[in-house]
Amino acid sequence: MEEKLPKIYSTKAILGFSIFLSTLFGGVLLFQNLIDINKKKEAYTVLGISILITVITILIVNVPDEPKSSLAYLCGIAGGSFLSYYFVPKYFPNEELYPKKAIWKPLIIGAVIVVFFVTLMIYSASHENY
């Protein structure tokens, strides 16, 4: 009898969320994939690396006197590529055989987080003017 493979987030989903939200977000998707195949130690390693890359990204983006969002995208591409093209093939060598999870849930969560932070920035900026 053939073993039924669990659904996972695709390489493209991990890369896309890493670029447009953060490497941490892409790392959480990969973390969930690894948890779903019972690789907890590897999952926490990937999560730790994702957090480290996100902290490095924050430092790189905020070091210049005038932070540039293009640096955040470049770091997202680098971090997401590392997750997608190093870790995914390492732990899912036959990734194409796994059914894919829909990205709606992480997309909605990401949108809520972005709206929250944008609202917070607008609110704090409007209070600085008083």
Side-chain angles (χ1 to χ4, degrees):
M1 186 173 154
E2 190 174 311
E3 181 184 339
K4 189 172 185 222
L5 296 172
K7 287 186 175 185
I8 63 169
Y9 292 107
S10 70
T11 301
K12 288 179 183 175
I14 293 167
L15 181 60
F17 279 98
S18 295
I19 293 169
F20 295 109
L21 290 172
S22 76
T23 303
L24 178 59
F25 213 101
V28 168
L29 297 182
L30 183 52
F31 170 85
Q32 188 60 54
N33 285 355
L34 291 165
I35 291 293
D36 290 347
I37 63 164
N38 296 317
K39 292 191 180 243
K40 288 186 179 179
K41 181 182 173 205
E42 294 87 345
Y44 285 104
T45 300
V46 165
L47 188 61
I49 290 169
S50 300
I51 291 168
L52 180 65
I53 292 171
T54 302
V55 168
I56 291 169
T57 299
I58 291 167
L59 293 173
I60 289 172
V61 170
N62 291 310
V63 163
D65 290 335
E66 294 180 31
K68 296 193 182 335
S69 61
S70 59
L71 287 174
Y73 286 114
L74 287 174
C75 290
I77 291 168
S81 295
F82 184 56
L83 294 175
S84 299
Y85 301 115
Y86 176 73
F87 285 114
V88 172
K90 181 176 181 176
Y91 298 122
F92 299 91
N94 54 350
E95 184 228 353
E96 67 282 348
L97 300 178
Y98 285 80
K100 302 301 183 266
K101 284 185 183 178
I103 63 166
W104 294 112
K105 186 177 176 183
L107 200 55
I108 291 167
I109 292 168
V112 167
I113 291 169
V114 168
V115 167
F116 173 76
F117 280 112
V118 168
T119 303
L120 205 60
M121 288 189 309
I122 292 168
Y123 182 75
S124 67
S126 66
H127 275 67
E128 285 179 6
N129 296 331
Y130 287 110

